[in-house]
Amino acid sequence: MNKMLITGATTIITLAGAAHAQSSVALYGLIDAGLTYTNNQITGTGGGHSNWEMTSGAVQYSRWGLRGAEVLGAGLNAIFTLESGFNLNNGQFSSSNRIFNRQAYVGLSSRDYGALTLGRQTDGMVDFVAPLSLTGTEFGGTHFAHPLDNDNLNDSFQINNSVKYLSPYFAGFKFGALYGFSNQAGGFTNNRAYSFGMSYVSGAWSVGAGYLQLNSAARTPAQLNTNGAVTDTTGSSLQGALTPTAVPLGVLASSQKTFGAGVNYTFGPAVAGFVYSHSKFAQFFQNSLSGTFQNFEGNIRYALTPAVELSGGYTYTRAGGNGGAGGIPHWNQVSAMADYRVSRRTDVYIQGVWQRVSPSGNSPLGVAWINGVTAPSSTTNQLEGAVGLRHRF
């Protein structure tokens, strides 16, 4: 009898262990904190003043998340990700009224056929073009974004109500597509989004391309379909340059069409890259404005030692269209960063960004504003410097 009980208990423990081995949940995150100096920021009393401030996410947004998978057999897994961005300075969510504001999705993944997921997710520009740009990586991040993050390479907003497919690699190729529903009866296209992209890796070369389109009937934040595909942002937005709201400009326009492509080449301890993106905004602010932004970025990274990484980039951005009053501004931005890895999970960094905008006419975009900085400059120039500590878990 005792032998039977022992045998039965052993069987139960073995089965429980086997069942546990078929599923997993992992806690992960990143904390980025530092001090940032800006030479000029507009104040409420007018004019511009220098500013020293403690910042959260100067390079990468601070976040924590849960990632899980369950093995279903035949190479098929059930997967999920729940990811929350937060401000380390005060402990608040980086996006109001959202616990998992960065990502929240569930789906199925197959080693042979790719992954199909549903929820709040990133678009094709973030997935395929951003990794080739310094702003989309740990080697530059938030402040290195193209002016006002007009192409979303810094992942300033995510897509709600989205269905997304990502393929596995086929001889170095990978592709994906996403559709974000408006969730509005009688307004199928009112604040919807769709996106796609591809990448190719071969030896020292990596290339990628992506496309993102937003459609909306809103012209002011009050008219926005707040259940639609894009409703908030965790960082700066083009809309923020013109009015004090966190709603991306693309959902206050009849359409935003953004496409981009990039290439990286690795040689020895260095990686050199070039990224081009183009964003077109149609009929925003009571149909009075329209415009385009073209971004040209050259970047390089160099591993000085296994622990020290240097990176730098130059971005030229040209705006077109009526820009508010016939103005066609253009931007020059120079960025540099040095990073020292203390351990596998912890590093310290120092970085700086200088931006100059050359306005034409009376464009409302005629002042400099480095992405992630609290307020724009009162002039056409702005300089930012940051030193910080980053820890991953």
Side-chain angles (χ1 to χ4, degrees):
M1 182 66 178
N2 289 337
K3 289 183 179 179
M4 292 177 62
L5 290 175
I6 293 172
T7 301
T10 302
T11 301
I12 292 172
I13 292 172
T14 301
L15 291 174
H20 177 73
Q22 297 301 303
S23 62
S24 64
V25 177
L27 172 68
Y28 70 93
L30 182 149
I31 301 171
D32 182 337
L35 297 176
T36 299
Y37 167 79
T38 311
N39 72 327
N40 188 310
Q41 290 185 21
I42 291 175
T43 65
T45 57
H49 296 273
S50 62
N51 188 23
W52 284 94
E53 56 186 316
M54 182 177 177
T55 51
S56 173
V59 178
Q60 291 177 282
Y61 297 124
S62 297
R63 81 290 297 265
W64 71 275
L66 296 170
R67 182 182 295 119
E70 180 187 13
V71 177
L72 303 178
L76 187 66
N77 295 335
I79 58 173
F80 76 88
T81 294
L82 302 172
E83 186 173 291
S84 176
F86 61 90
N87 187 324
L88 187 69
N89 297 349
N90 53 28
Q92 294 181 343
F93 294 129
S94 56
S95 179
S96 61
N97 302 319
R98 297 182 192 274
I99 297 176
F100 300 110
N101 44 56
R102 288 183 54 82
Q103 296 186 84
Y105 64 80
V106 66
L108 296 173
S109 174
S110 166
R111 61 171 178 253
D112 296 322
Y113 302 107
L116 181 66
T117 50
L118 300 90
R120 179 175 169 86
Q121 304 176 84
T122 53
D123 64 79
M125 291 293 292
V126 174
D127 293 340
F128 295 100
V129 183
L132 306 173
S133 166
L134 290 183
T135 187
T137 70
E138 62 183 295
F139 308 106
T142 305
H143 296 309
F144 284 34
H146 301 159
L148 309 168
D149 198 23
N150 64 82
D151 48 17
N152 199 37
L153 291 188
N154 193 50
D155 197 16
S156 288
F157 60 85
Q158 295 78 40
I159 311 299
N160 303 325
N161 318 321
S162 63
V163 178
K164 180 176 178 178
Y165 171 75
L166 287 176
S167 77
Y169 279 98
F170 298 106
F173 282 97
K174 185 175 184 178
F175 61 91
L178 171 147
Y179 186 89
F181 289 85
S182 71
N183 278 14
Q184 184 179 68
F188 185 77
T189 63
N190 184 17
N191 194 3
R192 70 168 178 177
Y194 55 90
S195 180
F196 50 85
M198 59 76 64
S199 66
Y200 176 69
V201 179
S202 177
W205 293 94
S206 298
V207 299
Y211 178 81
L212 168 66
Q213 178 160 337
L214 311 179
N215 294 96
S216 180
R219 294 295 178 271
T220 67
Q223 296 172 329
L224 178 65
N225 169 20
T226 57
N227 294 318
V230 179
T231 52
D232 72 344
T233 176
T234 56
S236 298
S237 66
L238 180 55
Q239 171 66 12
L242 305 177
T243 62
T245 176
V247 178
L249 179 60
V251 295
L252 298 182
S254 62
S255 70
Q256 173 185 341
K257 300 176 181 179
T258 297
F259 67 86
V263 58
N264 277 183
Y265 178 72
T266 302
F267 53 103
V271 179
F274 176 79
V275 172
Y276 170 79
S277 65
H278 181 284
S279 296
K280 181 178 181 180
F281 300 86
Q283 296 180 315
F284 56 93
F285 286 106
Q286 289 80 42
N287 300 320
S288 62
L289 301 177
S290 62
T292 62
F293 292 80
Q294 294 188 78
N295 306 284
F296 304 83
E297 175 191 333
N299 61 68
I300 190 166
R301 307 186 336 244
Y302 183 78
L304 188 63
T305 72
V308 178
E309 184 97 26
L310 306 178
S311 58
Y314 167 74
T315 297
Y316 173 74
T317 299
R318 178 177 176 82
N322 65 358
I328 305 177
H330 58 97
W331 290 259
N332 287 277
Q333 181 170 295
V334 179
S335 312
M337 176 174 167
D339 183 82
Y340 175 68
R341 192 172 293 275
V342 181
S343 69
R344 186 174 61 86
R345 298 190 300 173
T346 303
D347 60 312
V348 294
Y349 61 83
I350 182 170
Q351 67 166 214
V353 177
W354 173 78
Q355 184 186 106
R356 175 178 174 82
V357 58
S358 301
S360 174
N362 298 313
S363 170
L365 301 177
V367 296
W369 192 358
I370 295 169
N371 190 65
V373 170
T374 305
S377 172
S378 63
T379 72
T380 58
N381 291 272
Q382 192 171 58
L383 176 68
E384 169 272 338
V387 58
L389 172 69
R390 184 168 44 178
H391 177 75
R392 305 162 183 82
F393 61 89

